[in-house]
Amino acid sequence: MYQSQFNANFVGGNLLIVSYHYTSLSEIQTDLRSGVVSCRELVAYYLKNIEEKNPVLNAFVAVYDQEATQRAEEIDQKIAAGTAGRLAGMVLGIKDVLCYQNHGLQAGSSILNGFVSQFTATAVQRVLAEDAIIIGRQNCDEFAMGSSNESCAFGVVRNAADTSRVPGGSSGGSAVAVQADMCLASLGSDTGGSVRQPAAFCGLVGLKPTYGRVSRWGLIAYGSSFDCIGPITKSIDDAALLLEIMAGADDFDSTVSQQPVPSFTQAVAKTTVQKQKVAYLREGVESEALQPEIRQAMQAKLDWLREQGHEVEPIDFALLSYILPTYYILTTAEASSNLSRFDGVRYGHRTATPVDLMELYKKSRSEGFGKEVKKRIMLGTFVLSASYYDAYYTKAQKVRRLVKNQTDELFKKYDFLIMPTTPTTAFPIGDKTEDPLQMYLADIFTVQANVIGYPAISIPAGTDAQGLPMGLQVLGKPFGEADLLAFSKYIVAKEPASSLA
Ligand code: GLN
């Protein structure tokens, strides 16, 4: 029973809105089955939270209130008839980079003003087919480029733990929506940390699957060889379930793996974990540059793992300082190409009175894109230009391969690699906007998984002295999400983090 106080509020004439404190879908489904709650009541509760909290937090840029309410009624009928899908009762938000047919889509950018999706992303289609209810579209950094959700046509998103601070980015709206109980879970995208870093800043679980595990069809492209769709949830069970449903081969995306999708839900249902070989990044635990509480939290978790009999050893990753530059060279290169399609002809914004075609392109793009996106397009164009291609782009590709080879070697010896998700907890709004290098350093620990395509998860690891959430990151073997999720659940369950307690 997860009901708390009653509010004397009525919607639709006769619906009493109750406050719930659900932290996983299985809790909801237990109550749905016993009639303690209905999907209709759940949606009313989340909508009320959105109405109350969104004006300050700015997590949602569009709310599908009527549609979600209607769908909830339909799913309630399916539950009564015994025909409901596996996600019945899951109220979801989706990041503003995922196509949902006949719904607006802007990637947080003015250049897509008025754009409406023509089709639905495969991942979204699959959760809908299992009866998830999509409650709205969530704020993010423009074209998913950012670490703080401050670079966005819809304005900044605020962290619900402290509204003077950022929620992380680029899936900041998706994280805050779950943190502030405006929906149960969100679908975000992670090109260099955009699911894990905001999850860490908001005390949630954020999962980036192996590259190619989930179809990118219908995801607005940023860096196509890095982009992954991933869930942000309150529980590892929900992350496992959502991944299981979204994953797998798709005719619309040739980069999706044909590998069979194991049952991630079964994997996290196991109650025992074998002795594991765990490496941790020495610099990620001992460095003076880390916020002290994060250092202590990491140390405590590692000590606990040792006490449980796991083999826990420090490793030094010689290429660590090269990973971030590699990431920014390659993603800006890919972005400059991907974003060339936004030309004022086919999509969204078009300048008012161009004198010729060239001016139409130039003005539409100058007016439509924000500062950070323009900077990255220019950087990407530069590293791909004939005179600099070898010096930057080719070299970065070689480093990417070296990082992959070295990590592959490491994982021959170890099962998991642990490091913090971020070097600090959520920083104040405006703190890093004038210093891009500092902003990019927020991703120092998250980009490696994307550079090499490995799966990685951020799990809650307590709070700092100011009550701000911290995240612990675990990297697993490619297509080893089942083990990664099971091990992460073991870490969280054996020593519950505050927000999951
Ligand atoms: N913060 C990183 C960037 O700005 C990662 C973004 C992402 O994962 N989409 O590129």
Side-chain angles (χ1 to χ4, degrees):
M1 173 78 69
Y2 296 90
Q3 271 170 245
S4 66
Q5 92 259 14
F6 284 78
N7 295 328
N9 258 322
F10 293 84
V11 293
N14 59 359
L15 190 68
L16 187 63
I17 299 184
V18 179
S19 290
Y20 304 99
H21 294 284
Y22 291 112
T23 55
S24 73
L25 183 62
S26 68
E27 292 170 357
I28 290 178
Q29 291 185 339
T30 302
D31 282 1
L32 282 172
R33 276 194 295 271
S34 62
V36 170
V37 72
S38 65
C39 290
R40 172 85 163 80
E41 287 166 328
L42 265 179
V43 165
Y45 162 70
Y46 288 123
L47 286 174
K48 182 165 180 292
N49 268 353
I50 293 175
E51 193 184 321
E52 279 174 10
K53 299 177 183 180
N54 203 52
V56 172
L57 299 176
N58 200 23
F60 280 92
V61 297
V63 182
Y64 311 138
D65 44 1
Q66 287 180 4
E67 189 186 309
T69 303
Q70 196 191 330
R71 222 174 121 71
E73 281 167 6
E74 286 161 17
I75 293 164
D76 280 333
Q77 283 167 14
K78 282 191 178 182
I79 293 170
T83 57
R86 297 177 73 195
L87 292 179
M90 169 77 80
V91 179
L92 266 182
I94 56 175
K95 182 177 177 180
D96 187 20
V97 289
L98 287 163
C99 291
Y100 184 16
Q101 193 174 33
N102 298 330
H103 293 77
L105 180 69
Q106 280 190 237
S109 181
S110 302
I111 206 154
L112 280 174
N113 266 344
F115 180 76
V116 173
S117 290
Q118 311 289 298
F119 61 90
T120 300
T122 299
V124 175
Q125 191 58 55
R126 288 183 182 175
V127 296
L128 285 170
E130 289 291 349
D131 287 339
I133 297 168
I134 296 181
I135 200 163
R137 178 160 62 101
Q138 295 159 330
N139 204 340
C140 61
D141 281 299
E142 186 176 1
F143 284 101
M145 297 173 188
S147 312
S148 64
N149 224 135
E150 293 170 288
S151 156
C152 177
F154 297 108
V156 302
V157 178
R158 293 174 184 276
N159 193 315
D162 174 348
T163 53
S164 70
R165 291 178 185 263
V166 304
S170 63
S171 316
S174 304
V176 170
V178 180
Q179 178 192 31
D181 223 16
M182 298 192 263
C183 54
L184 181 68
S186 299
L187 299 186
S189 67
D190 191 314
T191 303
S194 276
V195 160
R196 290 160 287 154
Q197 187 249 20
F201 279 7
C202 297
L204 302 165
V205 173
L207 173 65
K208 182 205 98 69
T210 311
Y211 179 80
R213 182 60 106 175
V214 176
S215 168
R216 288 180 294 112
W217 173 252
L219 166 68
I220 292 186
Y222 162 14
S224 307
S225 72
F226 297 76
D227 296 341
C228 293
I229 296 173
I232 297 179
T233 58
K234 288 188 175 160
S235 71
I236 288 173
D237 286 3
D238 284 358
L241 177 60
L242 283 167
L243 181 65
E244 190 171 310
I245 286 165
M246 293 190 294
D250 178 23
D251 288 345
F252 293 118
D253 177 358
S254 61
T255 62
V256 181
S257 168
Q258 301 292 319
Q259 290 215 27
V261 179
S263 171
F264 302 124
T265 45
Q266 264 175 29
V268 294
K270 278 192 290 192
T271 48
T272 52
V273 157
Q274 292 177 341
K275 298 291 170 237
Q276 303 289 344
K277 288 189 176 164
V278 181
Y280 69 88
L281 187 68
R282 195 194 307 270
E283 254 187 273
V285 175
E286 294 168 9
S287 165
E288 290 296 313
L290 285 179
Q291 189 175 320
E293 292 107 315
I294 294 186
R295 223 168 40 218
Q296 286 150 17
M298 290 300 121
Q299 206 66 67
K301 291 277 181 194
L302 296 170
D303 289 346
W304 177 80
L305 283 170
R306 273 196 202 97
E307 282 161 23
Q308 304 306 310
H310 301 286
E311 236 173 82
V312 180
E313 290 174 1
I315 57 117
D316 294 298
F317 202 74
L319 293 172
L320 184 67
S321 57
Y322 294 94
I323 301 177
L324 205 58
T326 302
Y327 170 82
Y328 274 100
I329 289 170
L330 296 177
T331 53
T332 53
E334 293 188 18
S336 71
S337 165
N338 276 327
L339 271 58
S340 64
R341 75 190 73 181
F342 302 104
D343 55 8
V345 177
R346 286 168 292 181
Y347 308 98
H349 174 75
R350 180 179 298 171
T351 194
T353 47
V355 294
D356 56 23
L357 184 63
M358 206 41 95
E359 193 177 292
L360 176 125
Y361 291 151
K362 282 187 189 166
K363 281 199 166 167
S364 300
R365 286 167 68 81
S366 303
E367 291 161 7
F369 287 132
K371 209 169 123 198
E372 181 66 25
V373 173
K374 283 181 191 158
K375 184 170 73 191
R376 295 203 193 191
I377 291 174
M378 285 193 273
L379 267 172
T381 309
F382 174 76
V383 300
L384 288 175
S385 59
S387 348
Y388 293 98
Y389 189 93
D390 278 343
Y392 292 104
Y393 185 75
T394 310
K395 194 180 272 178
Q397 288 289 28
K398 288 180 180 168
V399 179
R400 184 178 201 182
R401 170 56 64 180
L402 288 176
V403 175
K404 166 112 174 54
N405 290 350
Q406 285 196 7
T407 316
D408 287 348
E409 278 305 309
L410 190 79
F411 272 85
K412 282 185 187 154
K413 200 165 158 216
Y414 298 100
D415 302 303
F416 301 106
L417 173 60
I418 287 184
M419 55 183 111
T421 310
T422 56
T424 67
T425 52
F427 44 87
I429 290 171
D431 211 32
K432 299 190 199 287
T433 36
E434 297 311 315
D435 189 345
L437 222 62
Q438 279 305 314
M439 187 72 91
Y440 295 171
L441 275 170
D443 304 325
I444 181 97
F445 298 127
T446 49
V447 291
Q448 181 172 357
N450 303 78
V451 166
I452 58 178
Y454 274 45
I457 189 168
S458 178
I459 56 178
T463 48
D464 70 4
Q466 297 174 77
L468 298 168
M470 303 186 282
L472 177 144
Q473 186 183 202
V474 191
L475 268 74
K477 292 179 180 165
F479 297 98
E481 289 95 343
D483 292 337
L484 177 65
L485 286 158
F487 187 60
S488 306
K489 185 167 173 191
Y490 163 79
I491 299 180
V492 169
K494 286 283 160 53
E495 199 188 13
S498 59
S499 54
L500 284 186

